[in-house]
Amino acid sequence: METNHNQFTPPIRIVASRRRRRTVAARLRSGVLELLVPDWMPGAERERWAEEMRRRLERRMERARLWGSCTFTMGAIRIATRAASLPEWVIDYLVVHELAHLEHSDHGPAFHELENRYPLTERARGYLMAIDQAAALKA
Ligand SMILES: [Zn+2]
């Protein structure tokens, strides 16, 4: 079974804020998608935003997927050749990420717990995200 990053269905927590007026924000916190909404926003609209933010994060993760993949049955890990130019500590993160998938197929809390044992996980993620965004701007 190939890791399927397309099925990104984290638990969702909706946080209503009185200070927030018009904008909706989302963040991923230990595997939980937190949606920050203004407290006047009706339930149906909150649900709609939750789905929208989930999809945006999913797309972001599909891009991240281009860097590596793993196969459960074989226990094999592949790292994209374009990753060869990355610093070693970032490649290490890619390997850790894929290794964690051998244990957990999803990106749930248990997966992140495992992945975060590599101390440079957050930095490596930021590094890859910056590269992907730069590439998206050029495209
Ligand atoms: Zn993954």
Side-chain angles (χ1 to χ4, degrees):
M1 183 173 64
E2 187 93 352
T3 310
N4 193 345
H5 292 220
N6 301 335
Q7 287 168 357
F8 176 61
T9 49
I12 294 174
R13 195 154 73 93
I14 296 179
V15 182
S17 159
R18 204 175 290 173
R19 292 215 325 265
R20 195 166 275 281
R21 293 181 182 255
R22 300 166 62 97
T23 56
V24 174
R27 63 181 173 212
L28 205 52
R29 230 196 207 175
S30 347
V32 176
L33 174 61
E34 279 188 350
L35 186 72
L36 311 165
V37 299
D39 69 348
W40 54 259
M41 187 178 274
E45 206 172 330
R46 291 179 190 190
E47 299 284 312
R48 197 176 58 75
W49 271 107
E51 173 56 20
E52 167 67 21
M53 290 307 193
R54 189 195 62 77
R55 244 187 273 144
R56 282 187 201 179
L57 269 167
E58 189 175 80
R59 278 200 294 272
R60 204 187 289 171
M61 290 181 134
E62 276 168 34
R63 279 206 299 275
R65 181 171 192 239
L66 297 173
W67 294 103
S69 66
C70 68
T71 317
F72 283 105
T73 46
M74 308 279 294
I77 289 174
R78 285 187 297 268
I79 300 297
T81 48
R82 71 182 180 120
S85 59
L86 296 170
E88 210 165 313
W89 61 273
V90 179
I91 295 179
D92 284 350
Y93 159 72
L94 293 172
V95 173
V96 167
H97 181 98
E98 298 306 334
L99 276 175
H101 272 312
L102 297 176
E103 200 75 30
H104 305 283
S105 60
D106 59 358
H107 289 121
F111 173 85
H112 285 290
E113 206 266 317
L114 202 57
E115 191 190 50
N116 286 332
R117 288 190 200 166
Y118 178 56
L120 298 176
T121 285
E122 280 306 310
R123 267 173 76 187
R125 279 220 194 112
Y127 189 97
L128 293 173
M129 219 176 272
I131 292 181
D132 278 339
Q133 271 164 15
L137 288 175
K138 265 187 249 164

